[in-house]
Amino acid sequence: MRWIIGIIILLLLIVLPLAGYNCGNYYAIHVAGLVGIYCILCVGLNITIGYTGLLDLGFMAFCAIGAYTAALLSIKGIPFWITLPVSLFLGGFIRYLLGAPVLRLRGDYLAIVTLAFGEIVRLIANNFDWLTNGPKGLPRVGERIAEIQLFSLVFKNDLQFYYLIFFFLIGTILISYRLEHSRIGRALVAIREDELAAGLSGIDVPQIKSIAFVLSGMFGALAGAIYVHWIGFISPEMFTFWESVLLVSMIVIGGMGNIAGAILGVFLLVGIPEILRPVLGTKFVDYRMLIFGLIMIAVIIFRPEGILKSKRRTLELEERF
Amino acid sequence: MEKLLQIEGIHVYYDKIAALKGVSLYLQQGEIVAMIGANGAGKTTLINTISGVLPLQKGFVRFKDEIISNLPAWKIARKSIVQIPEGRKVFPGLTVVENMELGAFPEDNKRKIREGIENMYHLFPVLKERKKQLAGTLSGGEQQMLAIARGLMAEPEILMFDEPSMGLAPILVEKVFQTIQEINQRQGITILLVEQNAKKSLQIAGRAYVLETGSIVMTDTADKLLGNDMVKKAYLGEQ
């Protein structure tokens, strides 16, 4: 039964945009693509926050690293299929360097360090004019971010990008799912639940944490790299602290440690406001954050595990309170 | 007989407060050694120091021919010195089977892990009934069984118990001590038993140490300590 529902949803996600695009509903396709990008980010961040239980308040930094790497390389005419792995590698490598000293700290300190790192990356992007063109963003006048080409197919319109994002999102979900149900995934749960007992079971806690932390950052870089090719422009203001906080909120509201929860969170906080924008008029946008706040408070009070709760997480909360 | 584990004059501090002041003890292959002492005597500190959870400032811990003091906890666990921590500390969000699999985390061979789990079902039939259940939903006694099973999955040479009877009903306390004795006799695993329940632990132990405010004040065979006036008065509640 679950299988059938899954396949139906998958087919709808493939067919509906095609129909929508042919009916001229371009805006909806654009929103769908945006939701997809956020889904990649949240499924990635969920590895750090949900599986490992580390609070990361600067995740957009890795999205920025991926995006700027892809932009800088593709301006030089290097194709996407090379810029993408370079972005992933660089995102992962910097994340590794950040994690090496920081993962030994207790949770609250990690949150502060990641928060600061997110700001550092944004400030570098804002001030290293020679590299990033500062607040004016990339590409500079006269430059162009190369199109993504797959054999003879050139990705140009939103629909094509929707499918590209969809493809990568499926990949992200599969990897994340496999990770959760692997030996390392169980070790992550053990670390989250009781670091001391995990160490006593022979789990190399810093190493396993580091693997999850790096993988998570690579998904951030992936989302950034695709995004910049799609929109064709980036500037530092896209990677503010607020965006990172929004990602965390999506995961918390949707349900920590649960892929479906992370995706639901994206729909609630990115999809629905965008869908409602034309319905309620631009005025609504001004009140969006107010409504977020109310949803957050309601979820935390009535369902602290998130809307789609993970069974494991629920038990942990019960143990603690 | 050769000393399997030797601890020589270890000092452990929490900031500037000494928790262990020059403790020396040893374990021989195949024996049960009890460590008795009041709250705050440093029993848990001692076990955590051997496990590598706490760093020591002076002295050393030697396992066979190797100094293992100040190795990280996970490395010591892989050397088959395993602690069953106080308060059980099973992973509540993992199933019974997953908890046991984590006990054998360093082991790659899936068949060996499965065999290990079968052995645990043999030893603790209740775990088989509960195998798909999340550990957080087990009763206290079942969790203690699971904690022991998880420890055994690592195929320990030395198993250290930190207050295994804490918070259990009397009938379960009996069962836990029986199990410890069984593990020792059948599998020849050397056991260090830290307990508040001095009487029970002295009954199953061969030798024992008495720890008081960070120092060992007495050591002898368990039988002799059971008959010792001072021990009787301070730990067994007899006049």
Side-chain angles (χ1 to χ4, degrees):
Chain A
M1 195 56 203
R2 282 185 63 177
W3 260 96
I4 298 168
I5 293 173
I7 288 171
I8 289 172
I9 290 175
L10 205 65
L11 284 177
L12 282 179
L13 285 175
I14 292 171
V15 175
L16 268 187
L18 193 64
Y21 196 77
N22 288 329
C23 298
N25 208 340
Y26 304 123
Y27 180 65
I29 307 298
H30 186 86
V31 170
L34 200 65
V35 166
I37 292 280
Y38 272 100
C39 281
I40 295 177
L41 282 169
C42 276
V43 171
L45 181 58
N46 182 45
I47 296 174
T48 299
I49 295 187
Y51 296 169
T52 325
L54 304 167
L55 183 52
D56 183 339
L57 290 178
F59 195 66
M60 282 311 274
F62 295 91
C63 184
I65 289 168
Y68 271 99
T69 309
L72 287 168
L73 291 176
S74 78
I75 284 169
K76 299 264 181 282
I78 297 167
F80 176 70
W81 307 108
I82 295 174
T83 64
L84 179 68
V86 175
S87 298
L88 289 184
F89 172 77
L90 207 65
F93 182 65
I94 294 176
R95 188 117 165 134
Y96 172 76
L97 292 183
L98 177 68
V102 168
L103 286 178
R104 287 163 203 281
L105 300 177
R106 263 196 29 243
D108 343 8
Y109 299 105
L110 183 79
I112 294 166
V113 173
T114 50
L115 187 159
F117 185 76
E119 282 302 283
I120 290 169
V121 168
R122 189 180 63 81
L123 289 172
I124 288 177
N126 214 19
N127 291 299
F128 279 31
D129 255 41
W130 57 274
L131 185 69
T132 64
N133 202 24
K136 296 187 288 300
L138 286 173
R140 297 179 182 86
V141 179
E143 291 174 342
R144 201 170 64 86
I145 287 172
E147 277 148 346
I148 298 178
Q149 209 173 346
L150 183 64
F151 304 113
S152 61
L153 175 67
V154 179
F155 287 81
K156 270 189 178 149
N157 63 40
D158 282 353
L159 185 67
Q160 290 164 330
F161 268 99
Y162 170 81
Y163 286 120
L164 184 79
I165 293 165
F166 190 67
F167 169 78
F168 277 107
L169 176 60
I170 297 287
T172 305
I173 291 172
L174 286 179
I175 292 173
S176 176
Y177 182 83
R178 289 293 301 164
L179 177 79
E180 186 186 356
H181 294 88
S182 70
R183 185 160 157 266
I184 290 180
R186 278 197 303 274
L188 287 174
V189 178
I191 289 170
R192 185 181 76 207
E193 295 189 338
D194 197 321
E195 235 182 277
L196 184 75
L200 291 174
S201 302
I203 296 168
D204 182 354
V205 175
Q207 189 199 23
I208 299 283
K209 265 189 185 173
S210 181
I211 290 172
F213 197 62
V214 168
L215 189 65
S216 170
M218 288 170 82
F219 285 133
L222 171 71
I226 299 173
Y227 182 79
V228 74
H229 277 279
W230 175 29
I231 303 298
F233 173 76
I234 39 164
S235 68
E237 74 199 35
M238 294 171 180
F239 308 103
T240 53
F241 171 59
W242 171 245
E243 286 289 323
S244 296
V245 170
L246 213 54
L247 292 181
V248 176
S249 318
M250 291 174 201
I251 291 175
V252 171
I253 289 177
M256 274 188 269
N258 187 337
I259 298 171
I263 291 172
L264 177 70
V266 174
F267 271 98
L268 287 178
L269 295 195
V270 180
I272 290 185
E274 290 293 336
I275 291 166
L276 288 182
R277 194 198 291 259
V279 179
L280 297 176
T282 41
K283 257 274 158 57
F284 171 74
V285 178
D286 299 339
Y287 295 104
R288 203 169 53 146
M289 296 309 155
L290 194 67
I291 294 169
F292 278 1
L294 290 176
I295 294 178
M296 270 301 249
I297 293 170
V299 168
I300 297 298
I301 292 176
F302 297 111
R303 218 174 155 88
E305 319 91 343
I307 295 171
L308 292 178
K309 57 182 180 182
S310 116
K311 251 193 213 152
R312 290 183 169 155
R313 275 272 178 185
T314 310
L315 272 171
E316 285 165 40
L317 281 170
E318 279 170 10
E319 288 267 312
R320 233 161 266 174
F321 300 112
Chain B
M1 224 183 184
E2 209 195 323
K3 289 166 184 171
L4 188 61
L5 186 82
Q6 190 182 7
I7 294 155
E8 199 57 60
I10 59 171
H11 289 250
V12 177
Y13 295 85
Y14 291 106
D15 284 326
K16 279 177 184 155
I17 301 156
L20 294 180
K21 310 166 202 162
V23 169
S24 301
L25 62 96
Y26 64 89
L27 301 180
Q28 285 173 341
Q29 178 73 45
E31 66 176 348
I32 298 182
V33 172
M35 171 73 57
I36 57 177
N39 273 336
K43 298 177 308 230
T44 298
T45 304
L46 176 69
I47 277 205
N48 278 338
T49 308
I50 299 172
S51 288
V53 177
L54 294 170
L56 51 81
Q57 272 78 14
K58 250 191 249 169
F60 66 83
V61 179
R62 199 182 64 198
F63 176 57
K64 293 178 181 167
D65 295 326
E66 192 184 354
I67 302 289
I68 59 163
S69 351
N70 293 332
L71 285 181
W74 64 273
K75 274 192 183 160
I76 289 180
R78 289 181 185 202
K79 288 197 182 298
S80 65
I81 301 171
V82 174
Q83 177 191 152
I84 315 266
E86 186 177 352
R88 306 180 269 282
K89 300 218 163 132
V90 293
F91 303 116
L94 290 172
T95 64
V96 168
V97 171
E98 287 171 327
N99 264 279
M100 287 194 279
E101 281 170 347
L102 272 177
F105 183 77
E107 177 64 61
D108 264 334
N109 186 339
K110 278 197 178 142
R111 225 189 60 213
K112 225 176 147 194
I113 293 177
R114 206 162 311 137
E115 275 173 23
I117 291 175
E118 282 303 320
N119 286 338
M120 291 310 125
Y121 289 155
H122 227 71
L123 199 59
F124 307 109
V126 65
L127 294 184
K128 189 165 188 176
E129 292 162 31
R130 302 262 187 270
K131 63 182 173 184
K132 287 273 158 67
Q133 222 168 301
L134 296 179
T137 64
L138 299 181
S139 72
E142 288 163 349
Q143 286 191 15
Q144 184 64 61
M145 297 303 146
L146 179 57
I148 296 175
R150 185 181 65 189
L152 286 173
M153 285 296 290
E155 304 197 320
E157 285 187 60
I158 297 174
L159 201 53
M160 301 185 290
F161 288 88
D162 193 358
E163 307 279 3
S165 74
M166 195 175 73
L168 294 183
I171 184 163
L172 288 169
V173 172
E174 202 63 50
K175 163 93 175 127
V176 165
F177 279 101
Q178 243 175 43
T179 308
I180 294 171
Q181 216 169 1
E182 235 176 81
I183 291 167
N184 171 256
Q185 283 167 3
R186 288 216 195 135
Q187 309 188 28
I189 296 171
T190 309
I191 285 166
L192 177 62
L193 175 60
V194 161
E195 254 293 339
Q196 294 261 3
N197 192 333
K199 193 168 188 178
K200 282 256 160 10
S201 43
L202 287 176
Q203 278 166 356
I204 66 167
R207 289 186 306 119
Y209 294 88
V210 180
L211 195 64
E212 239 170 52
T213 56
S215 310
I216 286 179
V217 292
M218 211 185 291
T219 173
D220 212 329
T221 62
D223 289 342
K224 281 193 183 145
L225 284 179
L226 268 174
N228 181 297
D229 283 341
M230 180 255 170
V231 173
K232 265 188 188 168
K233 210 169 160 204
Y235 300 105
L236 304 178
E238 295 167 16
Q239 287 305 310

